[in-house]
Amino acid sequence: MMKYAMASYAFASGGGTLGYQTLAPTAAKADNMVDERLAQPITSDANDFIYQWEASHDYNPSAGLERIEAMLVAINSGDDERNPPETGLTETALKRIKNGRLYLIPASTETRGHLTTGNAKFYKQQLQELLQSAPQRTI
């Protein structure tokens, strides 16, 4: 069941609508993609996977956002299924951070939903700008 759960979750939150349309534009190609994923061996420990999920149930990062002094760029993708930008939750939270801003990667055939932020090519320029403009502190 772990194999099916992981494959289902990966499809539901790591592909992006336009990305999946490009990768599997027909039902036959989509079926083949599912078959290929299900044929892959499971390398994760089920208990570790369950622990990770349980640990996130009551996690709330909003406490103390106003205390953040550093310049901050929150990065999200327009096709993120786990943290959909249309909810406005990230933008609302960033209003509480003095030097916080959002960079939203536009959804495209190259983005992969929630997995997009794992590829720095989509935000390399924004990261360079942040590092160049951030005040330097001496220790």
Side-chain angles (χ1 to χ4, degrees):
M1 291 310 297
M2 178 77 172
K3 180 181 282 197
Y4 294 107
M6 290 180 69
S8 297
Y9 188 75
F11 278 121
S13 65
T17 305
L18 297 174
Y20 276 141
Q21 182 62 34
T22 299
L23 294 171
T26 66
K29 288 185 179 182
D31 288 344
N32 187 51
M33 184 186 295
V34 170
D35 292 341
E36 286 176 359
R37 287 223 186 144
L38 290 175
Q40 295 175 359
I42 297 293
T43 58
S44 300
D45 177 271
N47 293 314
D48 186 49
F49 193 78
I50 292 168
Y51 175 82
Q52 291 175 40
W53 274 97
E54 292 290 324
S56 69
H57 281 190
D58 61 356
Y59 176 69
N60 182 354
S62 68
L65 289 177
E66 291 83 3
R67 294 192 319 250
I68 296 174
E69 296 178 19
M71 295 178 68
L72 180 140
V73 176
I75 301 168
N76 197 15
S77 180
D79 58 357
D80 188 324
E81 303 91 339
R82 289 188 206 170
N83 302 306
E86 56 269 20
T87 65
L89 294 173
T90 301
E91 288 177 327
T92 299
L94 284 171
K95 289 177 183 175
R96 296 173 51 200
I97 301 172
K98 181 179 177 182
N99 296 307
R101 66 181 178 87
L102 173 65
Y103 175 64
L104 187 62
I105 301 165
S108 74
T109 58
E110 292 184 35
T111 57
R112 295 294 177 262
H114 187 70
L115 300 178
T116 301
T117 56
N119 189 339
K121 80 175 187 178
F122 292 108
Y123 55 87
K124 179 182 175 185
Q125 178 183 344
Q126 287 71 26
L127 180 58
Q128 287 175 330
E129 290 171 3
L130 173 70
L131 294 174
Q132 290 171 353
S133 63
Q136 303 296 311
R137 288 189 177 178
T138 55
I139 298 175

